[in-house]
Amino acid sequence: MHTESMTMHPFDQALALEHSDLQAGLFTGATTPDYWNMVGPFGGTTAALLMQALLRHPERLGEPIALTVNYAAAIVAGPFEIRATPVRTNRSTQHWTLEIRQPDAEGRPQLNTTATAVTALRRDTWGATDLPMPAVPAPEAVERMSIGPKAVAWIAQYEMRPVSGSIPTQWDGRGDHSETRLWLRDAQPRALDFASLTAMSDIFYPRVWLRRATVVPAGTVSITTYFHCTAAQLAEVGTGHLLGRATGQQFAQGFFDQSAQLWSQAGQLLATSNQIVYYKE
């Protein structure tokens, strides 16, 4: 094993991509076990891979402001291909389509993830926040959540300190709300960037589990993350904690939507996300 791979952060290993010189928007990579989630990679890692391809594209204009990821099929262990295409470039915004494909049993590429993204050149303007960070105890005053089962390896890659709305300890069907507040950061220190922020916006377990206090099959179908910060502002956060809040909104006919917010410890709103999730009885 190369010394570089031994010292590389597990998240950076999961995001390692090879860039084709023949076609600017084509990248190849392979799954890693560190961020595995039952039957495939943690969905946040998949979204982060798409973000990583976007960030590395030589034609990118500005920084990310939005990313929507649609999980058409589970990614299986092994190699994959990412294609990132700038479909429209304006004076200050750029619009993208992205895809992840993997070979099937006969070696034919099969589409399993699609995405769209918008990057932009930000400028100095008036600003305000109508969604202030909730008042919560400091991270050091909150107990760290224990590591989950081996089949959910990705949980061990994060330090999570639930303030409220922790995963139920009694699955008795008596849930009465769907809000979770928690402090989080990489378990192994790593400076925050757009890729890691993308992954963290999908860090919350399915809201239906908390709302019902019942374990049911559930999985994200589509997630959109909006970025309210620059790379320089993320660099200021460094390896510090983020405060995350997530809540469900409507549960009906096998699908629910959940919204989430991520603030820096200094109180800056960094990202918001919305996703639609399927569930079964």
Side-chain angles (χ1 to χ4, degrees):
M1 181 180 294
H2 296 295
T3 303
E4 180 181 357
S5 63
M6 293 177 63
T7 57
M8 186 183 295
H9 192 281
F11 190 68
D12 294 309
Q13 292 183 38
L15 298 191
L17 296 174
E18 294 293 331
H19 185 196
S20 170
D21 293 332
L22 299 177
Q23 192 167 4
L26 187 63
F27 300 83
T28 58
T31 60
T32 63
D34 293 327
Y35 289 85
W36 207 251
N37 184 29
M38 302 296 287
V39 297
F42 163 47
T45 309
T46 301
L49 277 165
L50 293 161
M51 175 60 72
Q52 184 78 335
L54 174 63
L55 293 171
R56 291 188 54 189
H57 199 290
E59 297 180 26
R60 174 173 58 88
L61 173 74
E63 296 181 332
I65 61 171
L67 174 68
T68 296
V69 180
N70 305 307
Y71 301 94
I75 293 179
V76 299
F80 55 79
E81 175 184 289
I82 299 178
R83 189 179 302 275
T85 306
V87 295
R88 176 77 183 224
T89 301
N90 301 319
R91 291 180 60 184
S92 60
T93 61
Q94 191 173 47
H95 299 258
W96 296 78
T97 62
L98 304 101
E99 299 177 345
I100 299 180
R101 296 177 184 268
Q102 285 188 296
D104 62 13
E106 285 73 39
R108 297 170 299 190
Q110 296 293 310
L111 181 69
N112 56 26
T113 309
T114 66
T116 59
V118 181
T119 59
L121 294 173
R122 294 184 181 270
R123 60 186 185 277
D124 291 332
T125 64
W126 171 89
T129 299
D130 285 347
L131 194 63
M133 186 173 76
V136 296
E140 298 77 16
V142 181
E143 184 178 355
R144 182 177 178 178
M145 189 179 78
S146 60
I147 296 174
K150 290 183 178 180
V152 191
W154 70 269
I155 292 179
Q157 300 301 331
Y158 292 101
E159 175 189 320
M160 291 184 273
R161 298 175 179 269
V163 176
S164 61
S166 185
I167 193 164
T169 56
Q170 293 186 340
W171 301 99
D172 55 10
R174 297 183 179 181
D176 59 3
H177 72 90
S178 61
E179 184 188 62
T180 290
R181 298 178 180 183
L182 82 164
W183 291 106
L184 67 142
R185 63 179 175 181
D186 289 297
Q188 181 178 324
R190 181 185 183 279
L192 188 67
D193 57 19
F194 281 113
S196 57
L197 184 61
T198 298
M200 290 176 185
S201 46
D202 189 34
I203 206 168
F204 305 93
Y205 67 87
R207 301 293 86 199
V208 68
W209 292 1
L210 182 58
R211 182 63 180 83
R212 297 183 64 188
T214 302
V215 177
V216 297
T220 301
V221 177
S222 179
I223 181 172
T224 296
T225 301
Y226 300 108
F227 303 94
H228 310 293
C229 55
T230 65
Q233 289 169 323
L234 293 180
E236 292 176 1
V237 176
T239 60
H241 288 88
L242 304 185
L243 179 69
R245 174 187 178 271
T247 184
Q249 297 176 113
Q250 173 70 21
F251 305 82
Q253 289 83 50
F255 293 91
F256 69 90
D257 62 333
Q258 73 181 44
S259 64
Q261 303 85 38
L262 293 171
W263 291 268
S264 70
Q265 197 167 348
Q268 180 184 1
L269 183 63
L270 301 175
T272 55
S273 70
N274 289 277
Q275 61 179 281
I276 191 77
V277 186
Y278 86 88
Y279 67 93
K280 297 181 179 179
E281 288 295 329

